[in-house]
Amino acid sequence: MNDMERRRAPTRTDVARLAGVSTAVVSYVTNDGPRPVAAATREKVLAAMRELDYRPNAVARALRLQRAQAVGLVVPDVSNTYFGALARELSNQAFTAGYALLLGDSDDDPDRERAQIESLVSHQIDGLIIVSLAPDSVADVNGTPTVYLNQRSQPGQLSVIVDNEGGARLAVSHLVEHGRRRIAHLGGREGAPGADERRAGWAAALAAAGLTADPALVRTAEYSRVAGHEAAAELLTRAPRPDAVFVASDVQALGLLAAARELGISVPHDLAVVSFDGTDDAVFSDPPLTAVEQPVPAIAEAALQAVLGQAAPAAGGLVPVRLVVRASCGCPPGH
Amino acid sequence: MNDMERRRAPTRTDVARLAGVSTAVVSYVTNDGPRPVAAATREKVLAAMRELDYRPNAVARALRLQRAQAVGLVVPDVSNTYFGALARELSNQAFTAGYALLLGDSDDDPDRERAQIESLVSHQIDGLIIVSLAPDSVADVNGTPTVYLNQRSQPGQLSVIVDNEGGARLAVSHLVEHGRRRIAHLGGREGAPGADERRAGWAAALAAAGLTADPALVRTAEYSRVAGHEAAAELLTRAPRPDAVFVASDVQALGLLAAARELGISVPHDLAVVSFDGTDDAVFSDPPLTAVEQPVPAIAEAALQAVLGQAAPAAGGLVPVRLVVRASCGCPPGH
DNA sequence: CTGTTAGCGCTTTCAC
DNA sequence: GTGAAAGCGCTAACAG
């Protein structure tokens, strides 16, 4: 017997026939309703299902019910640790709630993002979670409930938004408290999730400290190790060199750390660093990164609830973040 | 107009009515066959589709055709950089081939793995790619073509297998060439993808060098930064301490690097390290990790082809790997 | 408590 | 070159 041969899967009709009941009863049993079934009958049906190794066809069910018991997720790059953690959390929470997860990687390309969305929507998903590259990506989703992460797009559009600006201010103020004065910013591309707000927070914190937000101290790059490395190499070789950097993502910070090492710049002594995300990347880097931590499970939960209609996300409410102090900012180990 | 209201999506019937043709013709147009359509008619249909913003219902199509144009992927943990890279690659390749990707994170739990598989299969996916925790996870997939990654499971079972043992031998031999003698192994859990073969390769390379594979020099852990850190802390505090470690994954190596730092052990001077995977984690760590590199795009392509039936993976063929030398092994920077 | 049956949106054979 | 209609597997209203 080759398990690979695509034999026709048993259907509800087969089960009904074997159990000697109607197909409706099989339905009532598998769905526990909407009509009651006698215990003895139920037993017969269950036995037949076991015998045939029957499993309901989710596609037929989806067609009938107009919902697929599935949600979609589109991210710019799953191999980014933060998006990976988000996907993991979402997969787990969705699964627990009885939903499958369709994943679309937009590969940091707006066109592909749109195409991925189209594809997921055509699969009749019940909800769509988008971490978008383009804030105006209106994406006609054909009525599929959609929530944007870290993107305040159209009015009336659902979104769950992290306190990006507040987090950035936390980070930069902390650097100021360390006595740093030339605080640079290595940020995400304009329009990238959270990027603009994090930059605004950087500028606001500097202003509050009476420092100027020098545009020459800003670099933007894709959220990736490689891009962060490249941008950092440039930022750190200009004179006069910054004495601190607020980085908009852990992965970019990893790239910056590597660049600093190559240039013989000691972190935190010569250069204090605080990043954003707070994934395991921040915990195990050298030195460990002081970072604004995003509560991934809470974010995933909020997004899922928003999209599955259990609860609209608190309008205007921001997901709170906190600063987790490690070594890259210059705080003593004991802290 | 609120885009969120779930208005009924236009169906092929709506298009047919608006275009003044039969539903069959609409089908012929969307699918470019199987019957020809007059140019003028086609134009009318296309116009109607545009006007209604029609998009075919993939679920109905799947039910009819008995294939969903979707493939499933189950991994132990998407937030592991290697699995993340794999998911990214697979999402992109599948998308390009016209397939959606259903992602299941098994959360390093065999029960959940089985449940995730069940769920994906019930969604009528056309193929299933599993990176399994349990080698004997026979998983009745109801006839869905299934390929295991790095897991030689049942005979007749499709699998794409990396040259884990060969890669491990490469890694360990390299350490031997550096003059290391007490070469430890920080591996994956028994049965974890590639774990047993990598350990075997470690032992084989030691034997070939006339060294003994001391079981006391072996630790196993989950493929994660945290678990790698914990196991490494234990391994590096026992006396006499190893002078080199072959680590079975990049993420574990990151944990080990952190542990070494905490213990004041200098890498590569006091401890040479080579890991397996060769993701960006290896490129940007401190020091950068010499690693056995897995060709993720090739692996993804092989898995996809195997499962979509374009080509059976070369029986007994192993995906070749190569050793990428960076700094953690002790090679001079110029190398 | 159980059975019959319409119909979800789509593809495709068969007739015109 | 175009249309009518059957049927994919399932649910649930309705009838008994």
Side-chain angles (χ1 to χ4, degrees):
Chain A
M1 290 302 114
N2 187 342
D3 248 313
M4 281 298 75
E5 81 189 27
R6 242 209 192 295
R7 63 180 176 292
R8 221 179 100 306
T11 76
R12 182 217 42 178
T13 310
D14 301 322
V15 175
R17 182 162 35 235
L18 180 58
V21 300
S22 81
T23 60
V25 172
V26 179
S27 242
Y28 302 152
V29 170
T30 55
N31 303 338
D32 238 344
R35 317 260 20 171
V37 174
T41 316
R42 147 171 281 112
E43 227 6 275
K44 272 192 306 186
V45 173
L46 290 174
M49 299 201 312
R50 263 192 305 277
E51 161 137 14
L52 295 175
D53 190 22
Y54 166 77
R55 58 202 81 191
N57 181 328
V59 170
R61 189 166 206 276
L63 178 60
R64 179 62 233 242
L65 297 181
Q66 301 292 320
R67 72 192 134 81
Q69 292 292 92
V71 302
L73 169 68
V74 178
V75 295
D77 174 9
V78 230
S79 74
N80 175 323
T81 310
Y82 171 68
F83 296 134
L86 186 66
R88 174 181 173 80
E89 193 61 38
L90 239 16
S91 168
N92 283 135
Q93 289 190 21
F95 177 78
T96 302
Y99 289 80
L101 181 72
L102 287 162
L103 174 70
D105 189 304
S106 61
D107 206 16
D108 267 309
D109 172 355
D111 291 336
R112 180 163 280 240
E113 175 180 306
R114 197 180 323 279
Q116 286 277 15
I117 292 171
E118 285 284 330
S119 161
L120 297 192
V121 166
S122 78
H123 280 269
Q124 305 299 104
I125 50 176
D126 305 312
L128 178 57
I129 298 164
I130 304 179
V131 185
S132 177
L133 299 157
D136 55 345
S137 116
V138 197
D140 182 357
V141 290
N142 212 36
T144 305
T146 300
V147 61
Y148 283 77
L149 241 56
N150 272 339
Q151 204 80 261
R152 212 181 290 283
S153 81
Q154 306 310 303
Q157 171 66 64
L158 291 180
S159 51
V160 354
I161 302 190
V162 168
D163 187 7
N164 291 296
E165 181 168 346
R169 274 195 269 104
L170 236 44
V172 175
S173 303
H174 187 76
L175 291 169
V176 170
E177 281 164 22
H178 273 288
R180 306 293 172 152
R181 287 298 170 265
R182 292 185 51 74
I183 303 176
H185 177 48
L186 173 47
R189 294 276 184 227
E190 192 181 330
D196 301 340
E197 294 79 3
R198 289 172 203 172
R199 174 173 175 168
W202 165 79
L206 289 184
L211 300 169
T212 43
D214 182 357
L217 253 34
V218 175
R219 289 292 180 288
T220 66
E222 254 176 29
Y223 287 142
S224 79
R225 296 167 181 84
V226 175
H229 177 261
E230 192 176 345
E234 200 198 305
L235 182 64
L236 298 180
T237 45
R238 70 183 305 281
R241 192 206 287 155
D243 59 7
V245 189
F246 164 55
V247 189
S249 69
D250 283 347
V251 284
Q252 290 173 310
L254 254 30
L256 175 133
L257 254 24
R261 238 172 266 131
E262 291 156 12
L263 295 168
I265 299 171
S266 157
V267 175
H269 186 267
D270 302 334
L271 186 75
V273 177
V274 176
S275 79
F276 205 104
D277 282 348
T279 62
D280 275 354
D281 275 341
V283 181
F284 293 100
S285 62
D286 178 26
L289 288 163
T290 291
V292 178
E293 184 175 291
Q294 300 202 53
V296 175
I299 293 170
E301 190 178 350
L304 221 41
Q305 292 204 338
V307 103
L308 262 23
Q310 277 93 329
L318 296 180
V319 178
V321 295
R322 64 196 186 99
L323 184 73
V324 176
V325 173
R326 298 195 185 84
S328 66
C329 58
C331 278
H335 189 113
Chain B
M1 289 305 115
N2 187 340
D3 249 314
M4 282 296 74
E5 81 191 25
R6 246 226 190 279
R7 61 180 179 291
R8 222 179 98 309
T11 75
R12 183 217 40 179
T13 309
D14 300 322
V15 175
R17 184 164 31 236
L18 180 59
V21 301
S22 79
T23 60
V25 173
V26 180
S27 241
Y28 302 153
V29 171
T30 56
N31 303 337
D32 240 343
R35 315 254 25 170
V37 174
T41 316
R42 147 172 281 112
E43 228 6 276
K44 273 193 305 185
V45 172
L46 290 173
M49 300 204 309
R50 263 193 305 277
E51 161 138 15
L52 295 175
D53 190 23
Y54 167 77
R55 58 203 80 193
N57 181 327
V59 169
R61 187 165 208 277
L63 178 60
R64 176 63 232 241
L65 297 181
Q66 302 291 321
R67 72 193 135 83
Q69 291 292 92
V71 302
L73 169 68
V74 177
V75 295
D77 173 9
V78 230
S79 74
N80 175 324
T81 310
Y82 171 67
F83 296 134
L86 186 65
R88 173 180 172 79
E89 194 60 37
L90 239 15
S91 169
N92 283 135
Q93 287 190 22
F95 177 78
T96 302
Y99 289 80
L101 209 229
L102 287 161
L103 174 70
D105 188 304
S106 61
D107 205 15
D108 267 310
D109 172 355
D111 291 337
R112 179 163 280 241
E113 175 179 306
R114 196 182 323 278
Q116 287 276 17
I117 292 171
E118 285 283 329
S119 162
L120 296 191
V121 167
S122 78
H123 280 268
Q124 305 299 104
I125 50 175
D126 305 313
L128 179 56
I129 298 164
I130 303 181
V131 185
S132 176
L133 299 157
D136 55 345
S137 117
V138 197
D140 182 357
V141 290
N142 212 32
T144 306
T146 300
V147 59
Y148 282 78
L149 241 57
N150 272 338
Q151 203 79 263
R152 210 180 291 283
S153 83
Q154 305 311 303
Q157 171 66 66
L158 292 180
S159 50
V160 355
I161 301 190
V162 166
D163 186 6
N164 291 296
E165 181 166 347
R169 273 194 270 107
L170 237 45
V172 174
S173 304
H174 188 75
L175 290 168
V176 169
E177 281 164 22
H178 273 288
R180 306 291 170 153
R181 287 298 171 263
R182 292 184 51 74
I183 302 176
H185 177 47
L186 173 46
R189 295 274 184 228
E190 191 181 331
D196 301 341
E197 294 79 3
R198 290 171 204 173
R199 174 174 174 167
W202 165 79
L206 289 184
L211 300 169
T212 44
D214 183 355
L217 252 34
V218 175
R219 289 292 181 287
T220 65
E222 254 178 29
Y223 287 143
S224 78
R225 295 168 181 82
V226 175
H229 178 261
E230 192 175 345
E234 201 198 304
L235 183 64
L236 298 181
T237 47
R238 71 183 305 281
R241 190 208 288 157
D243 60 7
V245 188
F246 164 55
V247 189
S249 69
D250 284 347
V251 284
Q252 290 172 308
L254 254 30
L256 176 133
L257 252 26
R261 241 172 263 131
E262 291 156 13
L263 295 169
I265 299 171
S266 155
V267 175
H269 187 268
D270 301 334
L271 186 75
V273 177
V274 176
S275 78
F276 206 104
D277 282 348
T279 63
D280 275 354
D281 274 343
V283 180
F284 292 100
S285 63
D286 178 27
L289 288 162
T290 291
V292 178
E293 185 174 290
Q294 300 201 53
V296 175
I299 293 170
E301 189 177 351
L304 222 41
Q305 292 203 338
V307 104
L308 263 22
Q310 276 94 330
L318 295 179
V319 178
V321 294
R322 64 197 186 100
L323 184 72
V324 177
V325 173
R326 298 195 185 84
S328 66
C329 59
C331 278
H335 189 113

